Amino acid sequence: MSFTRRTALIATFWQSLGLRAMSQIANTSEQTTTDGYIDAHVHVWTTDFDRYPLAAGYSKTQMSPPSFTADELLALAKPLGINRIVLIQMIFYGFDNSYMLDCIGKYPGVFSGIAQIDEQGADPAAEMKRLKELGVRGVRIFPPERGAEGWLDGAGMRAMWTAAAEERLAMCPLIDADDLPAVDRMCRAFPDTPVVIDHCARIGGDGQFRESDLKQLCSFAEHRHVYVKLSAFYFLGAKQPPYTDVLPMIRRLLDAFGPERLMWASDNPFQVQPPHSYQASLELIRDRLDFATSSDKQWLLRRTAESLFFA
C-alpha cells in the first residue's frame, strides 16, 4: 500500500498523544492479561534513528506519522480493552527487525511479532527459528512490485514455507486479489503451513467488492491452515466510518471460514488518521455484526489471534 494512498495525520494529534501515552502505560507489563481484545496487525516505529536506522531507500519524510512507538500505541489500545497486539515489521526497517523485537522484549506477553526475512539470505529458515525464540510468530511476504511473476518461486521462499510448517509460524502475505492464485499454489504445495492473508487481500481497496474476488478469497477456506485478517477498514470500500459497507464481505468470509479462522486487526497507525479511529474499527466487529454470535465475536476479537500468535 503506497504512502501516497494514505491520508497524512494532523500534526497536532500526534503532538498531544505523547503526554497521554506516558500516563496511560505505566506498569503495562504487570497488567498483562489473557482477557480483553487482541489487535492482530499494528506497525510501530520510532524517531531514534541512531539506534534504529532506516533501510536503504527510505527517508524520514515517508514516516507519517513521524513516530508511532509502542508506548504511543498502548496509550490508544489500553482504554479500549485491547491488551495484546501483534506487531508487523515496518518496511522502513527492511529486514532489520530490531525495533519490533525490542518492543516485544520490553513488554513481555503484550506483543508478538511478524518479521521480515531476506529469502536471499544465507539461511532464511534458520533465521525464522532464531526469531521464534525472540517472540516472532510469523513472516511477512509480499510481491516486490505490482503484478510481479514468480515472487514465490525462489528456493529461499520455499525453504521458508517449509520451516513455517515445521515451526508453526505463519506466512503472512500482503497481497491484492490478483496475487491470490500464486498464494493458492503455495498453499497446495505446502498444505501444513499456516497462512494469514492480510486485509482481506485488500478486496475493496479500489471501492469495489467484486464477486469474482470474493469468491476466489472464500475458496481458500478449503485450505485448513489459511486464515484471513478483517482489517484496514479505513482503506476498504467507501473508506468512511462506520464502515458498514464492508459487512457483506465479512459475512461471506464468516460463512466460508468460520470464526476460528478470521481475526480482527486495525492496521494502526493508519487506522487512527482522522476521520478514522481505533474505536470505529473495533466497533465494526464488536457492535455491528448482527449476523455473528457472541462466541463468533470472541474468536474474531481474541481467540483466533491468540491461538496463532500467543500460544
Side-chain angles (χ1 to χ4, degrees):
M1 194 182 306
S2 68
F3 293 102
T4 57
R5 295 170 71 182
R6 293 190 174 110
T7 306
L9 277 176
I10 297 175
T12 54
F13 174 82
W14 294 105
Q15 291 170 354
S16 65
L17 180 62
L19 291 176
R20 297 204 312 272
M22 298 311 297
S23 63
Q24 293 184 38
I25 63 171
N27 301 318
T28 297
S29 59
E30 288 78 8
Q31 297 172 5
T32 301
T33 177
T34 56
D35 298 322
Y37 307 124
I38 294 177
D39 185 341
H41 194 112
V42 174
H43 304 281
V44 289
W45 57 84
T46 176
T47 56
D48 186 350
F49 302 111
D50 292 331
R51 189 174 180 185
Y52 307 104
L54 301 183
Y58 293 97
S59 68
K60 300 175 186 178
T61 59
Q62 292 173 300
M63 301 171 72
S64 179
S67 170
F68 195 68
T69 65
D71 290 350
E72 291 171 320
L73 164 61
L74 291 172
L76 296 175
K78 289 291 183 178
L80 296 175
I82 300 164
N83 295 326
R84 286 176 290 174
I85 297 168
V86 182
L87 300 180
I88 312 298
Q89 169 72 350
M90 190 60 193
I91 57 174
F92 300 149
Y93 300 117
F95 301 119
D96 182 354
N97 298 280
S98 298
Y99 182 61
M100 182 185 71
L101 294 173
D102 285 351
C103 293
I104 294 172
K106 183 178 180 181
Y107 296 108
V110 174
F111 297 126
S112 69
I114 305 299
Q116 286 195 121
I117 294 175
D118 185 2
E119 66 172 295
Q120 303 296 332
D123 194 339
E127 178 66 357
M128 290 171 67
K129 296 174 185 178
R130 183 187 74 84
L131 291 175
K132 181 180 179 180
E133 297 300 316
L134 300 176
V136 165
R137 294 294 178 266
V139 179
R140 188 171 224 207
I141 57 173
F142 45 85
E145 58 188 27
R146 181 175 289 276
E149 293 291 335
W151 64 283
L152 290 168
D153 295 340
M157 182 65 72
R158 297 180 72 85
M160 289 165 62
W161 281 70
T162 298
E166 294 171 350
E167 299 294 327
R168 299 305 298 162
L169 297 172
M171 299 299 286
C172 303
L174 174 66
I175 56 173
D176 295 319
D178 290 346
D179 302 305
L180 285 169
V183 176
D184 181 67
R185 289 193 294 273
M186 293 298 282
C187 292
R188 295 184 187 281
F190 300 91
D192 295 325
T193 298
V195 175
V196 181
I197 298 174
D198 289 344
H199 314 323
C200 304
R202 298 193 286 204
I203 293 170
D206 62 356
Q208 302 295 316
F209 297 100
R210 294 180 180 82
E211 172 60 25
S212 59
D213 293 340
L214 286 170
K215 185 176 180 179
Q216 187 174 202
L217 180 56
C218 287
S219 73
F220 274 68
E222 72 178 84
H223 303 301
R224 61 193 181 96
H225 293 301
V226 171
Y227 302 76
V228 177
K229 286 181 187 173
L230 309 176
S231 52
F233 302 140
Y234 69 92
F235 179 70
L236 304 180
K239 302 175 172 58
Q240 290 292 323
Y243 316 117
T244 51
D245 60 318
V246 182
L247 290 177
M249 178 171 68
I250 293 176
R251 184 165 195 166
R252 288 281 297 275
L253 293 171
L254 185 61
D255 289 343
F257 287 89
E260 298 88 351
R261 290 200 281 154
L262 301 177
M263 66 192 82
W264 166 75
S266 68
D267 195 26
N268 274 329
F270 311 114
Q271 175 60 46
V272 293
Q273 297 187 42
H276 309 285
S277 70
Y278 215 156
Q279 183 169 337
S281 176
L282 176 62
E283 287 178 346
L284 183 68
I285 304 299
R286 188 189 65 194
D287 303 333
R288 302 184 189 281
L289 267 63
D290 57 5
F291 48 83
T293 67
S294 175
S295 176
D296 292 341
K297 293 177 184 179
Q298 288 181 35
W299 282 100
L300 300 181
L301 292 169
R302 176 172 60 84
R303 296 182 66 185
T304 303
E306 185 176 55
S307 68
L308 272 178
F309 301 126
F310 289 93

